[in-house]
Amino acid sequence: QVELVESGGSLVQAGDSLRLSCAASGSTFRDYAMAWFRQAPGKEREFVSAISWRSGGTWDADFARGRFSISRDVADSMVYLQMNSLKSEDTAVYYCAARPGAIVTEVHLYYNWGQGTQVTVSS
């Protein structure tokens, strides 16, 4: 049974950096895509970034490209989201997600989810 546990969310100032972590267990994840999504109050959950566990290839949402960076540590079964130059509009609950197969950006195509970690950026 796949389990994903996020951590690292915090209250930060605009312009600060933050790194989120996702501890993954219950599978080898060898053929999985791992992703970060976020959901701001009153908004739909949206794709942030994803990584192929096997190849390390990544894909980012337009707003994340150049500011956010996803990575994974295969040995420790961890996925990270490094967020730089944070803005108030980045305030959201950030979720780690996993799916067997290729990277996709649609929320409903990810079958495993963590409980989320709150990121609040004050301006």
Side-chain angles (χ1 to χ4, degrees):
Q1 181 176 344
V2 172
E3 183 177 16
L4 305 171
V5 180
E6 304 96 332
S7 61
S10 181
L11 169 63
V12 297
Q13 300 283 330
D16 284 353
S17 296
L18 196 62
R19 188 177 82 157
L20 305 182
S21 300
C22 173
S25 61
S27 174
T28 61
F29 300 102
R30 188 168 48 202
D31 295 311
Y32 271 64
M34 310 295 287
W36 287 96
F37 287 79
R38 71 183 186 182
Q39 188 165 19
K43 295 189 176 182
E44 294 186 352
R45 193 168 298 188
E46 65 175 348
F47 173 80
V48 177
S49 187
I51 188 166
S52 166
W53 194 265
R54 178 188 291 270
S55 70
T58 63
W59 184 256
D60 302 312
D62 288 344
F63 68 81
R65 205 161 287 131
R67 293 194 301 129
F68 295 1
S69 177
I70 189 171
S71 61
R72 91 266 193 251
D73 183 324
V74 173
D76 290 339
S77 290
M78 296 291 295
V79 181
Y80 302 101
L81 184 67
Q82 177 67 42
M83 303 187 292
N84 300 323
S85 303
L86 283 162
K87 307 174 182 179
S88 58
E89 51 262 44
D90 294 319
T91 294
V93 177
Y94 283 72
Y95 296 91
C96 181
R99 70 181 299 273
I103 290 174
V104 297
T105 62
E106 293 86 349
V107 172
H108 70 279
L109 294 179
Y110 284 83
Y111 309 127
N112 304 105
W113 293 86
Q115 82 289 349
T117 186
Q118 176 71 48
V119 173
T120 303
V121 184
S122 64
S123 56

